[in-house]
Amino acid sequence: MDYLLVGGASNVGKSETIYRLAIRLLASGFSVVAGTVPAVFTDFKAILKGNNGNGNIIYVLLNSPTDDVARIGELKQFYDESAFLINMVISSIRGEDEWQRTYVFTHMEITPLTDFVVEIPLARITRRGINFWPALNWYQQTVDEIITRTLAGNPFNI
């Protein structure tokens, strides 16, 4: 399985980053076949169907919350229900020193030796005052571009 994981500490924008990606995929012709992508950002799970760069139909599971055992269990159940369809998983994941990270890898049976795993690390914007919003805007646009370029290459090809 191919995984794109958006990682970092709590409240760094992992879920919102995945939401922005879902909106871009929907705008590019993908459609929701399971779950939902909300009209306004909130945590979500969805499977999107669309064409990859080679013109083949693919199914992408997008998941924003991995905060606790219940949310990780919901991800695993959602995955298991449609595993036969899914070509790739895009999900949030906590940082290196947090128990949720190990739990996601174990519970989802992600094995870096046999699965293709790319991780996009996120961090906090520490600027304050009038400098905060321009810094946040730049950061989000840059992260989105890195994800778009990563997904355009092998093995994702979207």
Side-chain angles (χ1 to χ4, degrees), residues 41-63:
F41 168 67
T42 186
D43 278 330
F44 72 100
K45 276 181 243 0
I47 297 174
L48 304 185
K49 175 185 176 183
N51 291 323
N52 67 10
N54 300 323
N56 299 320
I57 294 174
I58 59 168
Y59 294 85
V60 180
L61 187 155
L62 291 137
N63 176 72

Side-chain angles (χ1 to χ4, degrees), residues 50 53 58 110 132 138 156:
I58 59 168
I110 301 171
F132 176 78
W138 168 83
F156 304 111

Side-chain angles (χ1 to χ4, degrees), residues 33 51 54 63 77 85 90 105 114 128 135 156:
V33 296
N51 291 323
N54 300 323
N63 176 72
Q77 180 180 353
L85 283 177
I90 299 172
F105 271 86
T114 57
R128 296 292 173 237
F156 304 111

Side-chain angles (χ1 to χ4, degrees), residues 91-107:
S91 181
S92 67
I93 193 161
R94 287 293 177 96
E96 185 64 37
D97 61 342
E98 299 183 63
W99 68 267
Q100 295 97 329
R101 176 186 187 78
T102 302
Y103 193 74
V104 167
F105 271 86
T106 301
H107 205 61

Side-chain angles (χ1 to χ4, degrees), residues 121-158:
L122 298 187
R124 281 192 176 76
I125 298 298
T126 58
R127 295 202 179 157
R128 296 292 173 237
I130 62 171
N131 295 325
F132 176 78
W133 295 108
L136 179 63
N137 186 47
W138 168 83
Y139 183 71
Q140 288 176 335
Q141 289 177 355
T142 302
V143 166
D144 290 352
E145 181 63 24
I146 290 169
I147 290 172
T148 297
R149 288 177 184 233
T150 299
L151 288 174
N154 285 328
F156 304 111
N157 296 315
I158 59 173

